[in-house]
Amino acid sequence: MSYRVAVANPTRMEMSRMESSARRHRPYALGVDVGGTFTDVALLDQESGSWWIHKVPTEPASIESGIVRGIAEIIELPGIRAQDAAVIRHGTTIATNAILESGGAKTCLITSTGFGHVLEIGRHDMPRDANVYSWVKPTRPVRPRDVIEVPERTFVGGDRQPPTTEAIAAMLSAIESRQPESVAICLINSYLSPANELLLKEAIGRARPDLPVSCSHEIVALYGEYERAMATVLNAYVKPLVQGYLGKLEARLGEAGFECPITYMQSNGGVIARAAAETQALRMALSGPAAAVSGASDAARATGWDNTISIDIGGTSADIAVATGGSVATTTEASIGAWPVGVPILDITTIGAGGGSIASVSLTGSLTVGPQSAGAVPGPACYGRGGVRPTVTDAQVVLGRIPASVAGGRLSLDRDAATEAIEHHVARPLGVDVIEAAEAIIQIVNLNMSTAMRSVSVERGLDPRDYAIIAGGGGGALHAAELAESLGMSRVLVPPSPGVLAAVGLLAAPAKSDFSETMLMRSHDWDHAAVCTAVDRARDKALARRGDQAGLAAGGPEDVVSLHMRYVGQGHELAVQLAGAMVPSTPPAAIFEQFHEVHRQINGFSVPDAPVELVAVHYSAVDPSQVTRPRRLVRTAAGVAAPQTQVVSGGVARSFAVFDRKDLAPGWSYSSPALVLQEDCTVYVPPDWSCQVDSADNLIIEKDNI
């Protein structure tokens, strides 16, 4: 499944110039995002601004094979060679899947004497939706018998007691007896001084140079033993997998003739080089969703929208992120599955709701949709690949919201199979007809998604009516208008290629390196010079990581500092963000006032007279993408003939106009129910909504009469 997004209908002279230019070397940029169902590829000609997108099925047994296949096929579209590629940017879920599916490496944890049960103790909490009587604590990534205690100590004042030669020898013997594939080192108070961790790492390196080692001061240099230990363990847990995967991928690409630099998407919304990705493997968790957020942010900037809620709906899940003032917040309090990750991650909420989510009726007669998914194989019943369970996609087909032929006619959907699946598994058990059952499936999955969207907006003190939705993924544009209506929102933006939003977003992503360190200080003892010194230390460490990357701008990065603060006695922190250069000149009183305002916005109140506490300093170095943006289409709006089709909406079959998006130019608009078809998705414009194409080639859907 592929197509080109470029100047329409070039003349013969233009074709001749294009062919002549293609024979010369051109710097092409590639973005590759691997999902559970498809691997998406975007190709950009940085000289002309023309671009192409392509989809191939993901190959779970050999992900790198699917990537090489997708890249090889897309470069055939403009007829270029592997040597013409200037850069490849990649987003992957390998780290995320290993954590969620407990598929990481066998790991040992080295910790201080007396802290061997730090993972088992955790935080004495349980998930909010857990049943207190039946909840069972999940098995930790490291078994208690694989935790090795070492007598040593770093004291709060900074003094330390190093491990003895005998203690190091005992540790090495214990490691040898357990035969781990990876080692995590997390010593008490090592965020104050890494010296003892470095001693142990060097000893392991001499004895077992083949054994990957992760140290907490390199992963999360923050206080909080459980979170720091878990982040270090998770990094060690996925590190061998990530190293092996990146090595195989780059070897396969090299065999295929690609000699360009390859960078990898981090969870913080920026790309890093291979060396940093292998050392900081945990930072690649959620790299795919982060790439989609990058694509959504790029589309919003092109339209001039600052406040947006992006929702990227794929086959298995929906990823939701809020951008306020044009930026998505970064958090260090995110979790993957049951585990806190600690490293900076874009504040993305993921739920099990997508086109492949399976609908079922329980023994008590209640309808549920997801989180189980039909996946790529066998997929929804309408795909004709052996699936018999009804999915969200099947419901959309039955309601007429997805036509029988999609992807430019290359994929035919079996409406009868979808009808039979819904009839057998949903309609009969509920005692309703197939249409009612299909609408109920859509209503349930929309409710699940709108609830998640409320949790990241209303529950954080934000009014969703002040925001617009950016629809991404293969299913985003099918659900976005109804989600907006349920939240009182009035605008939806559908980017030019929403179905490959993450792959396109990789091209727009900046290079980004960051570092955090603990700094405990209260407002009545504020030492502004010490804060500035801590910022400088964090900057130096972040820039040391940045130095490993190629292709960075000569002018240096933009720097952003976040001071993580709280009221004295609180158990969580909020980030007060400043431009790095502003920290020395910003009076402490202004910093405290900004904290009070952030607290008021998020929690609904502030206590200006209460003492404030600084907990940590975070520094980010951001180098804007050096990849040239795709050139927007230059076309003239014209009358477009629109055939009609029957679509069920609100329990009624209505006539919907059908448009092909490639025929719609900036300035085009339509004010009746419509389906807009494109290669990578279908856009559903319900009754009482209008649509138009803006100057950036985005499709804008707006609520009428507001």
Side-chain angles (χ1 to χ4, degrees):
M1 183 188 305
S2 60
Y3 66 95
R4 176 185 178 181
V5 185
V7 179
N9 302 320
T11 66
R12 182 173 298 178
M13 184 176 296
E14 289 171 334
M15 285 292 293
S16 177
R17 285 199 301 267
M18 290 164 61
E19 290 169 359
S20 175
S21 180
R23 287 191 290 269
R24 300 193 304 270
H25 173 76
R26 275 189 176 182
Y28 286 81
L30 286 149
V32 186
D33 176 67
V34 178
T37 305
F38 288 103
T39 293
D40 300 336
V41 188
L43 172 65
L44 170 66
D45 180 344
Q46 297 185 81
E47 291 184 2
S48 71
S50 297
W51 50 301
W52 297 257
I53 64 173
H54 186 54
K55 283 178 174 282
V56 296
T58 295
E59 300 180 21
S62 179
I63 294 175
E64 63 274 6
S65 297
I67 292 173
V68 173
R69 174 190 165 192
I71 292 177
E73 291 180 1
I74 199 171
I75 66 174
E76 291 178 357
L77 299 178
I80 66 172
R81 306 164 302 161
Q83 294 85 347
D84 294 330
V87 65
I88 297 174
R89 294 180 160 199
H90 178 35
T92 177
T93 58
I94 185 171
T96 311
N97 293 342
I99 295 170
L100 293 176
E101 299 167 6
S102 300
K106 181 182 178 182
T107 302
C108 277
L109 169 62
I110 312 297
T111 190
S112 306
T113 297
F115 289 85
H117 290 87
V118 61
L119 298 183
E120 293 300 317
I121 294 172
R123 285 296 177 191
H124 284 295
D125 57 5
M126 63 178 63
R128 290 174 58 184
D129 58 352
N131 186 316
V132 67
Y133 299 107
S134 60
W135 181 76
V136 176
K137 181 175 68 177
T139 302
R140 272 39 180 171
V142 173
R143 303 171 298 180
R145 63 178 176 270
D146 290 328
V147 178
I148 302 169
E149 298 184 26
V150 176
E152 64 78 47
R153 188 66 92 237
T154 297
F155 299 98
V156 173
D159 296 333
R160 66 185 184 91
Q161 172 191 328
T164 65
T165 302
E166 292 76 14
I168 292 175
M171 175 196 70
L172 294 175
S173 177
I175 291 174
E176 191 63 27
S177 69
R178 289 162 174 80
Q179 290 296 302
E181 299 169 308
S182 188
V183 171
I185 303 176
C186 182
L187 304 180
I188 185 71
N189 295 333
S190 60
Y191 61 87
L192 294 173
S193 171
N196 286 359
E197 287 192 351
L198 289 172
L199 275 175
L200 299 184
K201 181 179 181 180
E202 290 167 1
I204 296 172
R206 289 192 298 269
R208 288 284 306 275
D210 61 315
L211 192 60
V213 179
S214 299
C215 290
S216 72
H217 72 272
E218 297 171 334
I219 308 304
V220 180
L222 298 174
Y223 87 121
E225 276 65 50
Y226 170 63
E227 289 79 8
R228 186 161 52 90
M230 184 59 76
T232 310
V233 162
L234 291 177
N235 193 81
Y237 190 63
V238 301
K239 190 173 183 177
L241 296 177
V242 170
Q243 288 179 334
Y245 169 71
L246 300 188
K248 288 189 292 185
L249 174 61
E250 296 202 7
R252 290 291 304 275
L253 288 170
E255 292 169 2
F258 291 92
E259 302 170 351
C260 59
I262 303 173
T263 55
Y264 301 91
M265 191 69 180
Q266 304 175 89
S267 305
N268 65 5
V271 294
I272 52 176
R274 175 182 170 182
E278 290 182 332
T279 302
Q280 304 277 322
L282 183 58
R283 291 173 178 263
M284 292 187 66
L286 299 183
S287 74
V293 170
S294 173
S297 299
D298 196 48
R301 282 192 297 270
T303 302
W305 292 3
D306 289 332
N307 295 342
T308 59
I309 301 177
S310 62
I311 180 162
D312 184 59
I313 304 175
T316 303
S317 61
D319 302 313
I320 303 163
V322 177
T324 301
S327 63
V328 177
T330 300
T331 179
T332 57
E333 298 180 358
S335 297
I336 297 178
W339 315 126
V341 292
V343 298
I345 288 180
L346 290 182
D347 196 355
I348 301 171
T349 298
T350 299
I351 62 170
S357 294
I358 295 173
S360 59
V361 178
S362 70
L363 294 176
T364 59
S366 61
L367 175 62
T368 60
V369 182
Q372 294 79 19
S373 173
V377 179
C382 63
Y383 281 9
R385 298 172 182 165
V388 295
R389 302 293 301 278
T391 66
V392 172
T393 296
D394 293 312
Q396 300 280 22
V397 170
V398 167
L399 296 175
R401 300 181 184 184
I402 299 179
S405 178
V406 296
R410 290 184 296 278
L411 179 62
S412 296
L413 303 180
D414 189 340
R415 190 175 190 273
D416 291 338
T419 301
E420 182 179 349
I422 294 175
E423 169 72 27
H424 180 73
H425 292 280
V426 179
R428 289 178 190 168
L430 291 179
V432 300
D433 64 37
V434 171
I435 296 298
E436 288 179 281
E439 283 210 298
I441 291 170
I442 300 301
Q443 290 168 0
I444 292 293
V445 77
N446 281 347
L447 178 62
N448 294 341
M449 290 187 283
S450 64
T451 299
M453 294 173 72
R454 287 180 190 276
S455 72
V456 299
S457 57
V458 176
E459 292 183 16
R460 298 182 183 181
L462 304 177
D463 188 342
R465 293 173 296 184
D466 297 332
Y467 289 72
I469 289 180
I470 300 183
L478 278 166
H479 296 267
E482 290 181 329
L483 292 173
E485 191 153 27
S486 70
L487 294 167
M489 303 167 73
S490 60
R491 293 192 299 175
V492 172
L493 183 153
V494 183
S497 299
V500 291
L501 189 62
V504 174
L506 284 163
L507 300 176
K512 188 173 183 181
S513 56
D514 46 33
F515 192 84
S516 299
E517 72 168 57
T518 295
M519 186 173 195
L520 299 176
M521 182 184 295
R522 295 189 174 182
S523 52
H524 60 273
D525 291 323
W526 191 266
D527 184 342
H528 200 62
V531 173
C532 294
T533 300
V535 170
D536 290 339
R537 284 197 304 268
R539 176 187 292 112
D540 292 342
K541 293 175 181 178
L543 293 181
R545 293 176 179 171
R546 172 183 179 265
D548 294 332
Q549 302 183 51
L552 299 178
E558 301 172 2
D559 54 351
V560 177
V561 173
S562 296
L563 304 181
H564 292 222
M565 306 173 73
R566 64 188 181 186
Y567 289 121
V568 174
Q570 282 186 314
H572 67 282
E573 301 84 43
L574 300 175
V576 174
Q577 186 168 298
L578 302 167
M582 292 176 58
V583 176
S585 60
T586 303
I591 295 175
F592 302 150
E593 180 61 33
Q594 187 172 342
F595 166 76
H596 296 313
E597 178 60 21
V598 171
H599 196 284
R600 186 194 64 77
Q601 290 176 358
I602 294 178
N603 296 315
F605 72 97
S606 63
V607 189
D609 296 331
V612 175
E613 185 174 40
L614 172 65
V615 175
V617 171
H618 178 81
Y619 173 84
S620 292
V622 182
D623 291 88
S625 174
Q626 298 304 298
V627 176
T628 304
R629 295 293 193 276
R631 182 157 60 92
R632 302 296 176 182
L633 298 182
V634 180
R635 297 175 300 192
T636 303
V640 179
Q644 301 288 310
T645 189
Q646 293 295 301
V647 177
V648 177
S649 178
V652 178
R654 307 170 186 266
S655 291
F656 274 56
V658 181
F659 298 96
D660 189 326
R661 187 163 181 181
K662 66 177 179 289
D663 295 333
L664 308 181
W668 172 88
S669 63
Y670 190 75
S671 59
S672 293
L675 296 180
V676 180
L677 310 182
Q678 54 187 95
E679 295 276 349
D680 56 341
C681 77
T682 297
V683 183
Y684 174 67
V685 184
D688 301 322
W689 288 71
S690 301
C691 54
Q692 60 179 311
V693 178
D694 71 2
S695 59
D697 207 38
N698 296 306
L699 185 64
I700 309 299
I701 308 172
E702 295 182 298
K703 178 71 174 174
D704 294 337
N705 303 318
I706 57 171

